[in-house]
Amino acid sequence: MIVLKGAEVSAKIKEEVQELLGELEGKTPKLAVVRVGERPDDLSYERGAIKKMEAFGMKAQSYAFAETVDNQEFQSEFQKINQDPEVTGILLLRPLPRHIDEKALEAAIDPAKDLDGISPVNIAKVFAGDVSGFAPCTAEAVVEVLKANGIPIAGKRAVIVGRSMVVGKPLAMLLMRENATVTVCHTKTVDLPGTCRGGEILVAAAGRARMVNGDYVGPGAVVIDVGINVDADGKLWGDVDFESIGQNASMATPVPGGVGAVTTAVLARHLALAAHRS
């Protein structure tokens, strides 16, 4: 089984970002990472995002709020960040605590600064096939990994485990744009392992550590793991039981070191594009 690491893909995206930055006449884009609480996976993503922006020659700042922050207060503070002319792009880490009105934030965020595709405007563009909208970074990163490694997408059977608006649904649209035949699975899918075995490309985005094992993988399948699960000891796990799929999968991404590195690189490209468009 070939291990598809994200570092090389990230390096290629970095070259694109450098070209964009070279056209900005010295302006340095700034990312605002907005976080509520201290979920381990959020902290991991935040650290990776800030490190990647700085490595790509851009600025990033964390705006952290207590998990108990009042909804009205948070909405007000978010608007200040949203309207700050120094902020080029925004990454809102989700899911948010239940008392925070997430739909209000999605409606309020400036689509031009919405780097992770949460605004209704950008979501509509993704579903309409309009490339001017920012797609969710993780979904876009999956396509980048496939393309960078020369893995054919057109005409292939792609199975996605997970139907969230963060990965599953937008990824289905992106893969269909590349002419894949897509099946989206979820908790109500009958014979989930059997359905997954029919995929030539299998994307695990269920949010459950090591759920996808060898029984889910058909012979020669390419397995893309987008899971970020942190256990009680602080260890990072994907949604795929990596050791158990080796006999069936032809290629697979590891966790860490796989899609996550590409996701933050895509975020950096979105930040550079936002600055370029403004």
Side-chain angles (χ1 to χ4, degrees), residues 126-254:
V126 170
F127 276 72
D130 184 343
V131 296
S132 70
F134 290 123
C137 296
T138 303
E140 190 172 318
V142 171
V143 178
E144 289 290 338
V145 169
L146 295 171
K147 286 184 172 182
N149 287 282
I151 298 166
I153 302 175
K156 298 298 181 179
R157 299 186 305 275
V159 176
I160 304 168
V161 184
R163 55 178 169 179
S164 74
M165 286 300 295
V166 178
V167 182
K169 289 177 181 177
L171 176 57
M173 296 300 108
L174 296 182
L175 288 173
M176 282 193 285
R177 185 191 298 172
E178 300 295 331
N179 298 311
T181 300
V182 182
T183 300
V184 180
C185 299
H186 45 77
T187 54
K188 302 298 183 184
T189 298
V190 176
D191 186 16
L192 180 58
T195 303
C196 290
R197 284 196 299 272
E200 296 166 284
I201 298 169
L202 175 61
V203 182
R208 290 178 57 190
R210 291 174 286 181
M211 186 192 86
V212 175
N213 56 37
D215 292 339
Y216 288 67
V217 182
V222 176
V223 181
I224 308 295
D225 188 354
V226 304
I228 301 178
N229 307 282
V230 183
D231 66 17
D233 298 322
K235 188 171 182 179
L236 202 63
W237 298 96
D239 287 356
V240 175
D241 184 356
F242 198 76
E243 299 302 322
S244 74
I245 67 169
Q247 291 186 338
N248 293 336
S250 61
M251 304 179 187
T253 59

Side-chain angles (χ1 to χ4, degrees), residues 2 47 95 108 169 189 206 274 278:
I2 298 172
R47 285 192 297 268
K169 289 177 181 177
T189 298
S278 66

Side-chain angles (χ1 to χ4, degrees), residues 7-274:
E8 292 184 5
V9 185
S10 177
K12 291 180 181 178
I13 295 174
K14 184 176 182 179
E15 293 177 5
E16 297 177 38
V17 172
Q18 298 306 309
E19 290 183 14
L20 288 168
L21 293 180
E23 298 171 3
L24 293 179
E25 299 179 350
K27 179 183 177 182
T28 304
K30 177 183 175 181
L31 170 68
V33 182
V34 183
R35 169 172 51 84
V36 179
E38 296 187 352
R39 285 163 42 100
D41 51 348
D42 281 351
L43 291 169
S44 175
Y45 189 15
E46 180 183 286
R47 285 192 297 268
I50 291 175
K51 184 177 179 181
K52 187 62 64 76
M53 297 313 117
E54 293 173 347
F56 279 30
M58 296 180 286
K59 296 184 289 188
Q61 181 178 340
S62 172
Y63 295 80
F65 299 85
E67 191 169 359
T68 55
V69 64
D70 176 75
N71 176 59
Q72 187 172 351
E73 178 187 353
F74 182 69
Q75 300 285 343
S76 175
E77 291 300 316
F78 184 82
Q79 278 293 12
K80 292 178 184 177
I81 300 167
N82 197 30
Q83 295 169 3
D84 185 348
E86 296 299 316
V87 171
T88 314
I90 299 171
L91 172 64
L92 175 64
L93 297 179
R94 301 179 297 163
L96 296 166
R98 289 189 176 184
H99 70 279
I100 300 294
D101 187 349
E102 196 167 313
K103 291 296 181 184
L105 297 166
E106 293 170 359
I109 191 170
D110 182 348
K113 294 184 178 184
D114 169 32
L115 304 187
D116 205 25
I118 69 171
S119 78
V121 171
N122 282 326
I123 290 170
K125 286 184 175 183
V126 170
F127 276 72
D130 184 343
V131 296
S132 70
F134 290 123
C137 296
T138 303
E140 190 172 318
V142 171
V143 178
E144 289 290 338
V145 169
L146 295 171
K147 286 184 172 182
N149 287 282
I151 298 166
I153 302 175
K156 298 298 181 179
R157 299 186 305 275
V159 176
I160 304 168
V161 184
R163 55 178 169 179
S164 74
M165 286 300 295
V166 178
V167 182
K169 289 177 181 177
L171 176 57
M173 296 300 108
L174 296 182
L175 288 173
M176 282 193 285
R177 185 191 298 172
E178 300 295 331
N179 298 311
T181 300
V182 182
T183 300
V184 180
C185 299
H186 45 77
T187 54
K188 302 298 183 184
T189 298
V190 176
D191 186 16
L192 180 58
T195 303
C196 290
R197 284 196 299 272
E200 296 166 284
I201 298 169
L202 175 61
V203 182
R208 290 178 57 190
R210 291 174 286 181
M211 186 192 86
V212 175
N213 56 37
D215 292 339
Y216 288 67
V217 182
V222 176
V223 181
I224 308 295
D225 188 354
V226 304
I228 301 178
N229 307 282
V230 183
D231 66 17
D233 298 322
K235 188 171 182 179
L236 202 63
W237 298 96
D239 287 356
V240 175
D241 184 356
F242 198 76
E243 299 302 322
S244 74
I245 67 169
Q247 291 186 338
N248 293 336
S250 61
M251 304 179 187
T253 59
V255 174
V259 174
V262 183
T263 296
T264 51
V266 169
L267 178 66
R269 180 167 65 192
H270 286 183
L271 181 62
L273 281 169

